[in-house]
């Protein structure tokens, strides 16, 4: 008796927890407002505007490692193919960044 | 500074041949020094290389081995490095030493450095390294210097003399600035100026570094921001040779007393400037890959013959 009750409770709890997560993933996939991809040694989009508190995620889709560096603000580890880096912007401003391995690669995040 | 191509003149390699070579990536060039002027005498194993070796000091250049690289452009970069080293081992007359112009590893992993050592050491040659940007991406940026930095200054620059030639290994992959190219930095440039000061101007000088010291294609970052300052310091010298890697293809330029040359990679080819959306690894047919990878060999000559640089690939 006791064990069945606990299981029922468990299933209900998991379902409740899953619902908002699934919704969030679906929204992100549709709009993708917080993602920067690296393709062919280019940050895309090169300029991104986000709100304070939002998290931007960079993904390297090249066969060569890249980094994301914003002097004094953030510095990713080296991202190999499919590697990602995320940074949450807590203050408004213009964040110019570049790849420290291929410095001709530059981008900017504007935080409002 | 006047710019011309020595290969248009005299009995040197024809301009067409040089241009043909420029489109390929390679194994290892053999360079030789028979007095004043360094020149490459062809790829390891070629008839020219064997003949030149008998006459003077020769040394090898390999570059961009990217140990650990396993993407479609070459799923086995360790294997092609091994093939290049096997060619070196098969040489009848041993070169005096080898230089490696950087990107020894792909991701600066301990295991990649270990594998590189175990393969390259089979050549049984002294190897003088300079780092590429791929050799400085471990978390603490210490593995390259621990292995190859002994007796070097700063990020790993140094000089040495061999066969009457002054060799200078430079580091231009550190502290790169947003929007910029390769970078030597003030400290290194001041050291270079002092290092060359007081040397006889008749001493042949070889500068080697990973990223080309001359501007090859700035849109892809192929050049060195303050490279011109380094070249200023070697202006008075009668014979200057600048050897680089990074761009995974053979390219040559002669400007006054300075000959610039880039070596092939032993790992994967990269596209000619502007011919692809990016400088990333270039996937070619399997059968063609080994014609685009290689090693260089260099020979210093006694008289004033034009500088001849011939590159021959791993295969073909």
């Amino acid at each position: 008796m006791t064990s069945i009750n606990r299981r029922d409770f468990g299933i209900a709890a998991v379902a409740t927890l899953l619902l908002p997560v699934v919704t969030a993933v679906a929204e992100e996939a549709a709009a993708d407002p917080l993602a920067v991809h690296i393709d062919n040694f280019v940050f895309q989009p090169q300029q991104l505007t986000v709100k304070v508190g939002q998290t931007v995620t960079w993904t390297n889709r090249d066969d060569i490692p890249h980094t994301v560096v914003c002097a004094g603000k953030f510095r990713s580890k080296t991202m190999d193919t499919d590697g990602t880096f995320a940074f949450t912007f807590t203050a408004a401003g213009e964040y110019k960044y570049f790849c420290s391995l291929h410095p001709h690669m530059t981008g900017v995040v504007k935080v409002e | 500074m006047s710019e011309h191509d020595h290969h248009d003149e005299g009995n040197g390699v024809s301009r067409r041949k040089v241009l043909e070579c420029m489109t390929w990536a390679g194994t290892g060039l053999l360079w030789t020094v028979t007095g004043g002027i360094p020149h490459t005498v062809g790829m390891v194993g070629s008839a020219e290389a064997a003949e030149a070796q008998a006459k003077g000091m020769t040394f090898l250049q390999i570059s961009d081995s990217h140990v650990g690289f396993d993407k479609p452009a070459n799923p086995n970069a360790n294997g092609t490095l091994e093939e290049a080293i096997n060619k070196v081992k098969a040489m009848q007359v041993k070169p005096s030493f080898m230089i490696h112009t950087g990107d020894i590893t792909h991701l600066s992993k301990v295991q990649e450095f270990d594998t590189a050592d175990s393969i390259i050491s089979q050549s049984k040659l002294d190897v003088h390294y300079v780092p590429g940007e791929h050799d400085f991406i471990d978390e603490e940026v210490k593995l390259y210097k621990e292995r190859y930095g002994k007796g070097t200054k700063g990020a790993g620059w140094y000089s040495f003399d061999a066969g009457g030639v002054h060799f200078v290994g430079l580091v231009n992959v550190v502290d790169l600035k947003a929007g910029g190219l390769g970078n030597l930095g003030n400290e290194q440039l001041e050291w270079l100026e002092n290092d060359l000061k007081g040397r006889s101007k008749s001493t042949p000088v070889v500068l080697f570094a990973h990223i080309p010291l001359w501007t090859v294609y700035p849109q892809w970052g192929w050049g060195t921001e303050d490279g011109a300052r380094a070249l200023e310091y070697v202006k008075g010298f009668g014979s200057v040779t600048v050897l680089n890697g990074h761009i995974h293809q053979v390219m040559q330029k002669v400007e006054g007393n300075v000959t610039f040359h880039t070596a092939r990679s032993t790992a994967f080819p990269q596209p000619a400037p502007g011919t692809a959306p990016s400088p990333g690894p270039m996937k070619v047919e399997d059968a063609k890959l080994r014609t685009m990878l290689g090693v260089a060999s260099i020979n210093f000559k006694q008289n004033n013959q034009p500088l001849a640089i011939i590159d021959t690939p791993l295969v073909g």
Side-chain angles (χ1 to χ4, degrees):
Chain A
M1 264 313 262
T2 321
S3 71
I4 290 168
N5 281 345
R6 193 176 291 149
R7 190 185 297 147
D8 287 346
F9 171 77
I11 289 166
V14 166
T16 315
L17 284 173
L18 271 178
L19 195 63
V21 174
V22 170
T23 312
V25 167
E27 274 168 11
E28 194 182 276
D32 220 8
L34 299 173
V36 177
H37 291 125
I38 303 170
D39 282 302
N40 283 320
F41 291 60
V42 173
F43 293 109
Q44 291 172 325
Q46 208 147 24
Q47 187 178 316
L48 189 66
T49 303
V50 303
K51 301 217 175 339
V52 171
Q54 287 188 314
T55 301
V56 174
T57 302
W58 284 263
T59 304
N60 177 19
R61 302 203 289 209
D62 274 345
D63 278 352
I64 286 288
H66 294 295
T67 65
V68 180
V69 177
C70 178
K73 305 290 182 188
F74 55 85
R75 170 177 281 271
S76 76
K77 292 181 182 178
T78 301
M79 299 180 284
D80 195 10
T81 307
D82 297 327
T84 63
F85 168 69
F87 183 77
T88 303
F89 292 88
T90 55
E94 194 176 86
Y95 296 78
K96 290 180 177 168
Y97 64 88
F98 75 117
C99 168
S100 61
L101 301 175
H102 312 100
H104 66 288
M105 296 168 56
T106 59
V108 61
V109 177
K110 287 182 176 171
V111 183
E112 300 172 335
Chain B
M1 194 182 276
S2 77
E3 183 177 331
H4 68 282
D5 188 335
H6 274 183
H7 305 286
D8 282 342
E9 303 159 10
N11 299 322
V13 178
S14 74
R15 183 181 179 87
R16 172 176 296 172
K17 177 135 191 195
V18 171
L19 288 172
E20 276 170 10
C21 293
M22 279 171 56
T23 59
W24 310 113
T27 33
L29 257 187
L30 185 65
W31 293 85
T32 179
V33 189
T34 13
I37 297 182
H39 68 122
T40 65
V41 289
M43 294 301 290
V44 176
S46 73
E48 297 100 315
E51 194 192 328
Q53 275 180 283
K55 289 180 188 161
M57 194 266 271
T58 60
F59 66 97
L60 281 171
Q61 180 189 6
I62 63 169
S63 199
D64 297 84
S65 39
H66 285 262
V67 165
F69 183 85
D70 58 2
K71 303 294 180 335
N74 181 358
N76 187 10
N78 300 6
T80 46
L81 172 61
E82 208 152 15
E83 286 176 37
I85 295 300
N86 284 339
K87 291 231 164 198
V88 173
K89 279 159 68 181
M91 290 173 72
Q92 286 179 347
V93 182
K94 284 267 164 271
S96 298
F97 57 88
M98 185 150 69
I99 61 171
H100 191 305
T101 41
D103 283 358
I104 305 157
T105 69
H106 192 57
L107 296 169
S108 301
K109 292 178 179 170
V110 171
Q111 202 191 344
E112 292 176 346
F113 279 114
D114 284 346
T115 303
D117 276 348
S118 74
I119 297 172
I120 294 170
S121 65
Q122 289 170 34
S123 69
K124 305 239 184 324
L125 293 174
D126 280 340
V127 186
H128 301 276
Y129 290 90
V130 285
E133 72 278 8
H134 285 255
D135 301 315
F136 278 156
I137 53 180
D138 50 313
E139 202 67 0
E140 296 174 62
V141 197
K142 62 171 192 181
L143 296 175
Y144 175 86
K145 282 208 76 179
E146 275 176 8
R147 282 167 194 256
Y148 307 112
K150 284 191 192 81
T152 68
K153 317 262 183 215
W157 57 81
Y158 59 98
S159 67
F160 65 97
D161 293 285
V165 179
H166 187 61
F167 290 84
V168 185
L170 298 172
V171 181
N172 57 359
V173 296
V174 174
D175 198 20
L176 306 184
K177 308 287 187 300
L181 307 170
N183 177 54
L184 292 161
N186 250 328
E187 191 190 347
Q188 184 171 202
L189 284 163
E190 278 169 17
W191 170 85
L192 176 66
E193 188 177 18
N194 279 325
D195 180 74
L196 294 171
K197 212 173 262 172
R199 286 184 198 279
S200 156
K201 299 298 183 202
S202 61
T203 309
V205 175
V206 173
L207 303 180
F208 60 106
H210 179 64
I211 299 176
L213 286 178
W214 48 297
T215 304
V216 174
Y217 195 62
Q219 294 90 327
W220 284 356
W222 290 359
T224 300
E225 207 71 48
D226 47 9
R229 254 181 80 189
L231 299 174
E232 198 61 35
Y233 302 145
V234 294
K235 248 185 178 164
F237 288 86
S239 161
V240 179
T241 304
V242 178
L243 303 175
N244 302 116
H246 187 60
I247 66 171
H248 296 216
Q249 62 199 290
V250 174
M251 223 176 258
Q252 192 197 352
K253 182 174 84 151
V254 179
E255 218 179 89
N257 59 328
V258 185
T259 295
F260 300 85
H261 187 271
T262 61
R264 291 183 173 101
S265 160
T266 64
F268 55 85
Q270 284 177 203
T275 61
S278 83
M282 183 165 64
K283 171 73 183 146
V284 297
E285 295 165 44
D286 291 351
K288 208 175 165 189
L289 177 64
R290 281 164 180 75
T291 69
M292 305 180 82
L293 306 176
V295 184
S297 120
I298 299 131
N299 184 1
F300 282 76
K301 273 219 155 183
Q302 210 100 41
N303 52 28
N304 261 340
Q305 281 194 0
L307 231 139
I309 299 190
I310 306 163
D311 292 281
T312 318
L314 264 181
V315 166

